[in-house]
Amino acid sequence: MADLHVNLAGLQLSNPVLAASGCFGFGREYNEFYPIRQAGGIMVKGLTLEPCAGNPTPRIAETPAGMLNSIGLQNPGVDAFLSNELPWLLSQEAAVIANINGHALEDFEEIARRLQGAPGLKAIEVNISCPNVSHGGMFFGTDPAMASEVTRRVRKHTSLPLIIKLSPNVTDITEIARAVVSEGADILSLINTLLGMAIDVKTRKPLLARKVGGLSGPAVKPVALRMVWQTAQAVDVPIIGMGGISSAQDALEFLMAGASAVAVGCASFVDPLAIPRIIGDLNAWLDREGFAGVRDVVGLALR
Amino acid sequence: MADLHVNLAGLQLSNPVLAASGCFGFGREYNEFYPIRQAGGIMVKGLTLEPCAGNPTPRIAETPAGMLNSIGLQNPGVDAFLSNELPWLLSQEAAVIANINGHALEDFEEIARRLQGAPGLKAIEVNISCPNVSHGGMFFGTDPAMASEVTRRVRKHTSLPLIIKLSPNVTDITEIARAVVSEGADILSLINTLLGMAIDVKTRKPLLARKVGGLSGPAVKPVALRMVWQTAQAVDVPIIGMGGISSAQDALEFLMAGASAVAVGCASFVDPLAIPRIIGDLNAWLDREGFAGVRDVVGLALR
Amino acid sequence: MKAIHQASLLKNRALAPQLYEMELLAPQMASVSKPGQFVMVRIGENQDPLLRRPFGLAGIDPESGRIRLVYQVVGRGTDQMSHWRTGRTVDVLGPLGNGFTWTEDPGRVILAGGGLGIAPLLPLAQALRSAGKEVTVFLGSRTESLLFGIPEFSELGCELQLATEDGSQGFKGFLTTPLEHFLCAQALDAVFLKAKEASEAGAGHAHVHTHAMLREGMKETGFHQLYACGPSPFLKVIGNLSSRYGLPAQLSFEERMACGVGACMGCAIQIKNPDGTLKTSRVCSDGPVFTGEEVHWNG
Amino acid sequence: MKAIHQASLLKNRALAPQLYEMELLAPQMASVSKPGQFVMVRIGENQDPLLRRPFGLAGIDPESGRIRLVYQVVGRGTDQMSHWRTGRTVDVLGPLGNGFTWTEDPGRVILAGGGLGIAPLLPLAQALRSAGKEVTVFLGSRTESLLFGIPEFSELGCELQLATEDGSQGFKGFLTTPLEHFLCAQALDAVFLKAKEASEAGAGHAHVHTHAMLREGMKETGFHQLYACGPSPFLKVIGNLSSRYGLPAQLSFEERMACGVGACMGCAIQIKNPDGTLKTSRVCSDGPVFTGEEVHWNG
Ligand SMILES: Cc1cc2nc3c(=O)[nH]c(=O)nc-3n(C[C@H](O)[C@H](O)[C@H](O)COP(=O)(O)OP(=O)(O)OC[C@H]3O[C@@H](n4cnc5c(N)ncnc54)[C@H](O)[C@@H]3O)c2cc1C
Ligand SMILES: Cc1cc2nc3c(=O)[nH]c(=O)nc-3n(C[C@H](O)[C@H](O)[C@H](O)COP(=O)(O)OP(=O)(O)OC[C@H]3O[C@@H](n4cnc5c(N)ncnc54)[C@H](O)[C@@H]3O)c2cc1C
Ligand SMILES: Cc1cc2nc3c(=O)[nH]c(=O)nc-3n(C[C@H](O)[C@H](O)[C@H](O)COP(=O)(O)O)c2cc1C
Ligand SMILES: Cc1cc2nc3c(=O)[nH]c(=O)nc-3n(C[C@H](O)[C@H](O)[C@H](O)COP(=O)(O)O)c2cc1C
Ligand code: FES
Ligand code: FES
């Protein structure tokens, strides 16, 4: 048994394989497949200040080795999260990370304020990269000044480890990474989805009701990996890598590229047992290759 | 028989399915599978001023539904193109488009100068988006000011239809599109490859000798389509759409998103007959759906 | 614990051009599945096509451990499925969603299936017949060859009414037309009967068919539930008929799905809360069956 | 015109754990293929895995219209191939590249195959034997079970020398060691023989084995060509031996490929021009066979 524990700037996790936000709800569904405390951490569905109904359907389109989604942050709101979801998650002994979203800078601040002091909450992940909402969303994550400002504001209101989730839809991800780290981000998570589109040739219209959506899945893995690799060389904070991870081999690619932990998104849709499978295979690989701990793999390909 | 002819700002082509640069050499190889004049046009392998040996190997890595390449513009140079390749291509009655590349602004100018007046050459495509060279390349295509400058300089030296090939590795592709159109680009082609990476878990090193490479193939189609769709709404010049096209359905998605023609890249590797197959299927589809010409499909999904 | 099943493919044959049935040996799944539930089938081991494909359960046999799917080839996933040979292992996730519900007492019910929506009505009819109900089944499709299940429904002793868009079998047109005629006739008959009884008893009634009267009549017929599955415009008409005739409906919906288990929020549907406000529910885990009353029909 | 072939899968069986042979019916291809050429096999119809996989031709039979591949399961493409059942259609592009060359006269040649590099030597040995040559074959692999072709080479009347890294069969270690011993012994024998003849004829020679002497000796042996296929470090050693002993070598290379036909420039190899300058050639279309002399070994 290799040591799978990781410590990301104070965020202690039993293993480095997390559930990516929006791909695991609030854990209830996959808890019917395995005890969700097995996941290194759970980044819950993106929270907004008020409950949010999300976008019209179709919200899902399959693409080659990937999928587009335009959920639009459907969620019960931060207060319902605190009263209904968080207690249940903690009763399952899950390591919970709140993913927060805003249409305006004040929204981020207010959510952070409400989450401050929530017993048991492990960290806050700030989504400045959602491509599926018209106001805010990705807009905050594609401009270094805006990204800095969001980080600065949230930092003021939280003492929890602060994760900033970066958008891949930028010319230079290291610029944004440096900007948010200088404002107090403890950890970076990347990548969110790539802005994409699919057209239904039959109806001659975009397949998604909202026309564009976020691309994720194996198709984006090379882009995600490159960005993790670039970012790991640009900043000194730990990185949670994600984008197309569906096997322990994929996870190892991200770890070797410099991520300290990884998150699994739509692979859970394809294989509900993806997370425990990846953890098991990762462990077996580390043992076989003679690594004492998963930490020893981090950044191997950077040398 | 639907009318497949297209006229892109004076660039007259017998059909809208072109061979993408770097995926068709100088036509000789695929001419052993079918008469290459069947292609709507051939964008030849990227030319540099001097012959170029390219990058070390491995230059190729497969990724989910895609591939990474880091060829590094291996080519015989513009003069050898003019003396050996162009005459042969013209003898095959191919519609030839020269893809040009530079490490410095002066390189682009000089190549354009040498190509000016080359009998039979149909157009110039300026590659300001190659991710596989250290100097120049993508650097020109990710900054609006640089992109404008390259366009302005090449425009001075050529009377041929001027195609600027855009990089997808940017925050806002419409910004670059507008910049180059304002400097005289007649046509835009997009997308070039997305910067990506793959790691060999066995060797714990990047799979490509040059570490990063350009991602293309079906995986990138949703991103390419979105960018074509955005660009078609932002500028008034015709667009040659590409990125992951491997079937007539794919081609139709791009046409409906606003492209006036499309280019087929690595699909030819998988199926050497991809281009004639797509032309045939496109024609059959147009007939079946009652379109008189392919032009009538362009932009249908924009409405 | 929910689970993924590695089922053995026992049968995979064409019922008509582009229409197939598949039988899978999946004893654990067969033992817990209910009519109206569905499964998600994995197409290949590679990353493309990526997502599982959802199919309603068209047969559930706990005794033999078999489940049955009926599917139409509409794209590359179903195309590939149609080439699978028996003996192969199929990766199936399920049963998913909540099925139809019914009471274990006699009574009269109507089933309406449009296109592939016929599939989940097969095990439902079986269950309803076992519960002792009188079952009238309306089946509709584009053309005769795509109508399936007729022998099964007949064997179960269901009354059958058919419709095809091209008129190749039964009524020519949409299924909802004969269904409406049927409901109307049943309700009116009951109204007349009551009127007759009433007039025989000496009372006098004006013969105006108000909606209230039709609903009143419907109650008399003994029909107490409508079940439907099919494309959403079809379900909308059924939902309308349901409220017009005061006949409660259970409608099974389809939506593009990614996870199938309720985690991704991909398959949203607008549902009315009792207080009239709207909430977004998930077709996969809150449905796929919703009552006609609770669905908010937009547009 | 080059073409893609829809070949019928006649045989697909394990030779050893993870080692398979495949026979395909592809008459047109079998009729034009030459030893040393290769094919690109499409793995599936979906977009993943995307690229074709290259395999050397391990058998070419124009009479029966068959070609043969021997492949090792190293990743998901070859893993999937190993599950293909006979009767299936396989999409094969080829023959590609330039094969080995030889003269149609007797003489002695050496073949050296490391690992899967044994495969293309099989049809080559056949052709060389038909041309009347004396063929000595060196085969090496990691372990005994991965050595293949031994009966075929024997039947053709080739002399065989074996090596395995784990010593389970033949020499323990790399194949290049017994090969070097063999070359050295042959050359020295010839040198001694000549020296003996010379001394018998009265002349006196110092017994120092200079490289020039070995090359001189090699000429006397009648060996005039070395053919090799295997991993590139192995080919590098062979290239070295070739120049040390003045024995011309034809080396078959592998490189990551995308198109396989010369269009993408993915499979570059550095080749020396006659004037000493370097040029970048393509393994797929300019090779995969290059002479030991022309290859530029970097590092
Ligand atoms: C709960 C549920 C139950 C279903 N039951 C059945 C059934 O019993 N039999 C049956 O034949 N089909 C059923 N479907 C539809 C079936 O899932 C789709 O036909 C199938 O996923 C298409 O896959 P494909 O790869 O062949 O098509 P694709 O190539 O993915 O798409 C082709 C076309 O199929 C349709 N389609 C794709 N995905 C879906 C989807 N999730 N839901 C509806 N339509 C879709 C679209 O019109 C699309 O243009 C059901 C769908 C749902 C959501
Ligand atoms: C001209 C040529 C002839 C070949 N002949 C044979 C043969 O006769 N028998 C045989 O078993 N193999 C042969 N190979 C190697 C064979 O192509 C690879 O083993 C195969 O492509 C691996 O596919 P995969 O999907 O199983 O592995 P992947 O999952 O794609 O990769 C697994 C590993 O296989 C190796 N590999 C992948 N692609 C190539 C490639 N193009 N060339 C070399 N190694 C690669 C790498 O080490 C990689 O890490 C040949 C390769 C070339 C270029
Ligand atoms: C259906 C869906 C919903 C998502 N919702 C969110 C969200 O609410 N907040 C967020 O930060 N990221 C969200 N994401 C992005 C994922 O967390 C992840 O960054 C992305 O999907 C890449 O990982 P993957 O390729 O493993 O899916 C969502 C992704 C999907 C597919
Ligand atoms: C092997 C390879 C070489 C390429 N070389 C060039 C090039 O020289 N010049 C250029 O503008 N684009 C080059 N490209 C990019 C393609 O022209 C095209 O923009 C990209 O591959 C997307 O199309 P596809 O997904 O159909 O391959 C190359 C792509 C590949 C795969
Ligand atoms: S398909 Fe994911 S919530 Fe329904
Ligand atoms: S593989 Fe494309 S040139 Fe050799």
Side-chain angles (χ1 to χ4, degrees), chain B residues 16-33:
Chain B
V17 185
L18 288 75
S21 177
C23 302
F24 212 74
F26 296 95
R28 293 185 195 265
E29 294 76 21
Y30 291 110
N31 201 49
E32 294 187 42
F33 288 91

Side-chain angles (χ1 to χ4, degrees), chain B residues 20-23 45-46 60 67 69 71 73 99 101 125 127 165 191-193 216-217 220 242-245 263-267 269, chain D residues 264:
Chain B
S21 177
C23 302
K45 174 66 196 168
I60 300 283
M67 61 172 280
N69 87 79
I71 307 299
L73 291 176
N99 179 279
N101 301 266
E125 182 185 48
N127 182 3
K165 183 161 182 178
I191 59 172
N192 208 317
T193 52
S216 59
V220 309
M242 69 190 95
I245 296 177
V264 174
C266 57
F269 306 159
Chain D
C264 76

Side-chain angles (χ1 to χ4, degrees), chain B residues 22 155 158 162 166 178 221 226 235-236 241 260 267 285:
Chain B
R155 182 74 288 176
T158 191
L162 178 57
L166 303 182
R178 274 192 224 96
K221 198 185 72 174
R226 182 261 300 180
V235 296
D236 259 338
S260 300
W285 187 90

Side-chain angles (χ1 to χ4, degrees), chain A residues 19-31:
Chain A
S21 176
C23 303
F24 212 74
F26 296 94
R28 294 185 194 263
E29 293 77 20
Y30 290 110
N31 200 50

Side-chain angles (χ1 to χ4, degrees), chain A residues 112-120 159-160:
Chain A
R113 209 178 283 132
R114 295 196 195 173
L115 291 173
Q116 178 61 8
S159 57
L160 288 168

